[in-house]
Amino acid sequence: MMTFHEELTAKTEGVEEIIRKYLPLEEGLQKTVFSASDYSVLNGGKRLRPLLMQETYTLFDGRGKGIEPFMAAIEYIHSSSLVHDDLPCMDNDEYRRGKKSTWAAFGEDMGVLAGDALLVYAFETASKALLQCNNPANVVKAMEVLANKAGIYGMIGGQTVDVELTGKALNEEQLQFIYNLKTGALIEASMMIGAIMADASAEDIRSAEAIASKVGVAFQIQDDILDVTSTTEVLGKPVGSDEKNNKTTYVTLYGLEEAKNKVASLTEEALELLSSLTGENLFLEKLIRYLITREN
Ligand code: GRG
C-alpha cells in the first residue's frame, strides 16, 4: 500500500500533466507573454487547489474528464495572483518558490501582462469543459463560482482590503475578512467546483464551501506561521516578509502558540464537517490534515 506521501506525489504528478496540457504554446510575435505565463505556472507549486478540486469531485462520485479544464483554470488563477502579488507595487518580492519571481525575470511590464493573461486564459480554459461533460448547466455554474470567488467578492476583494490596511493595526474582524476572501475564496471555489461538476446537491455544494472556508483560513494562518518559523531555503522565498511589509497577521495579533492552536481547531472542524457527508474520501482527509504539518 502506498504511503500518504507517495500517493500525494503520484496525484500531484497527475495534476501537473493536466496543468501542462492546457498551457499555451510559446510561439507567435507575442511569445514573451506566453513564456512569462508558462514560467509562472511551471515552477513547482504544491498544486493544492486542483488537488482539492479533484478529490472533492471524487468524493461526490464525479466521473470523467470534465473536471480537468477547471483544475488547470484554478491553478492559472492562483498563479496569476502570485505574479501580481510579487510586483513592486504590491509585496515587491524578487523570489518565489526558490526562483526569480516573474517580474524579476521578465520585467515589471511583462509581470503585469502575464498576470492579466493567465487570469483571462483561465476562463478560456474552463470553457473547454463544455466539450467534455454532458451537463452544460454545471459548467456555467462552475464558471460563475470561479469568477465570483476570484473577483471583487473574493480574492481581489480580499487583496484590496489587505493592501489598503497594510501598516495599520487590524482588528480580528478585518483580519478574518482578509483571510476569508484573499486566501479562503479560491480554496472554496476549488472544492465547490469539484462538487458542482460531480452534480452534487445544493446542500452538498454548501457543505463543500463551508469545509473549504475553514481549510482556507487555516492554510493562511499556517502561511503566517511559516513566515516566522521557516527558512528561506525551505520556503523558497524570503522569510520575515510580513514583518518587512509591516503586516498584521494572526501571529502578530495572537502569538505563535495561539496561531498553531487555531490552525489545529479549524482543521478539526473541517474534518468533522467532511465526515458528516455521505461520501468518503480518505485521501482528502489526509490532505487536509497534511496542510497543518506542511513546511512550505
Ligand atoms: C490577478 C486574480 C488576480 C488577483 C490579483 C494580487 C492579488 C490580486 C491577490 C493576491 C492573493 C494572494 C497572493 C493570496 C495569498 C494566498 C497564499 C497563501 C498563497 C500561497 O499559496 P501556496 O502555498 O503556493 O499554495 P504554491 O507556491 O504552493 O502554489
Side-chain angles (χ1 to χ4, degrees):
M1 215 180 91
M2 281 203 270
T3 66
F4 169 70
H5 281 278
E6 285 165 351
E7 210 176 344
L8 180 62
T9 305
K11 283 185 189 268
T12 307
E13 276 166 16
V15 170
E16 203 74 42
E17 230 167 85
I18 293 166
I19 290 171
R20 210 176 272 275
K21 190 167 84 185
Y22 287 97
L23 272 178
L25 294 178
E26 297 184 23
E27 60 186 22
L29 214 53
Q30 77 278 47
K31 108 186 222 292
T32 309
V33 78
F34 295 146
S35 304
S37 305
D38 292 5
Y39 173 87
S40 324
V41 173
L42 298 175
N43 74 349
K46 293 185 289 295
R47 314 309 190 192
L48 173 75
R49 293 157 190 80
L51 269 173
L52 283 170
M53 187 185 285
Q54 183 181 51
E55 295 309 314
T56 308
Y57 184 67
T58 316
L59 169 76
F60 290 114
D61 222 13
R63 309 265 166 91
K65 292 187 182 300
I67 195 67
E68 291 188 358
F70 282 101
M71 291 168 61
I74 198 103
E75 191 65 17
Y76 300 161
I77 294 179
H78 167 59
S79 283
S80 93
S81 79
L82 299 182
V83 172
H84 280 182
D85 195 52
D86 290 336
L87 285 171
C89 64
M90 300 260 179
D91 277 359
N92 193 21
D93 279 325
E94 284 180 51
Y95 287 90
R96 160 84 54 189
R97 300 166 176 163
K99 296 198 193 102
K100 288 260 180 206
S101 52
T102 306
W103 75 268
F106 290 85
E108 193 175 345
D109 43 10
M110 288 301 146
V112 172
L113 289 169
D116 292 343
L118 278 169
L119 184 54
V120 178
Y121 189 69
F123 286 90
E124 188 174 338
T125 306
S127 73
K128 294 185 175 142
L130 276 173
L131 303 171
Q132 300 185 43
C133 136
N134 47 23
N135 193 337
N138 284 345
V139 176
V140 175
K141 199 153 104 184
M143 285 183 73
E144 191 205 343
V145 167
L146 194 61
N148 175 275
K149 298 288 183 185
I152 47 179
Y153 302 106
M155 183 169 60
I156 293 176
Q159 177 76 354
T160 303
V161 178
D162 189 0
V163 165
E164 236 170 20
L165 296 181
T166 290
K168 305 210 168 68
L170 306 189
N171 60 36
E172 163 123 32
E173 193 193 340
Q174 290 164 320
L175 198 67
Q176 267 291 340
F177 182 92
I178 293 170
Y179 285 19
N180 279 332
L181 270 66
K182 186 183 85 163
T183 311
L186 217 54
I187 294 182
E188 287 167 15
S190 307
M191 295 190 68
M192 288 173 81
I193 291 170
I196 291 166
M197 291 301 290
D199 213 22
S201 68
E203 195 190 337
D204 282 341
I205 297 166
R206 271 196 301 276
S207 300
E209 184 176 25
I211 294 166
S213 169
K214 290 179 188 298
V215 171
V217 174
F219 186 76
Q220 180 58 56
I221 299 175
Q222 182 67 13
D223 203 69
D224 298 344
I225 293 173
L226 292 174
D227 190 62
V228 177
T229 59
S230 189
T231 62
T232 301
E233 292 70 44
V234 174
L235 221 49
K237 60 180 185 182
V239 288
S241 130
D242 292 333
E243 199 185 338
K244 182 191 93 183
N245 292 323
N246 231 332
K247 277 205 161 151
T248 304
T249 70
Y250 205 91
V251 175
T252 63
L253 209 53
Y254 300 105
L256 205 50
E257 274 321 294
E258 189 50 36
K260 286 181 183 168
N261 290 339
K262 187 72 182 174
V263 173
S265 63
L266 282 167
T267 303
E268 286 316 316
E269 285 167 29
L271 288 170
E272 203 174 301
L273 262 174
L274 184 60
S275 69
S276 72
L277 299 174
T278 327
E280 194 181 49
N281 180 340
L282 288 177
F283 178 79
L284 179 59
E285 289 172 28
K286 288 184 206 155
L287 180 64
I288 291 173
R289 218 175 265 290
Y290 157 75
L291 296 178
I292 337 182
T293 54
R294 74 192 170 98
E295 290 189 336
N296 69 8

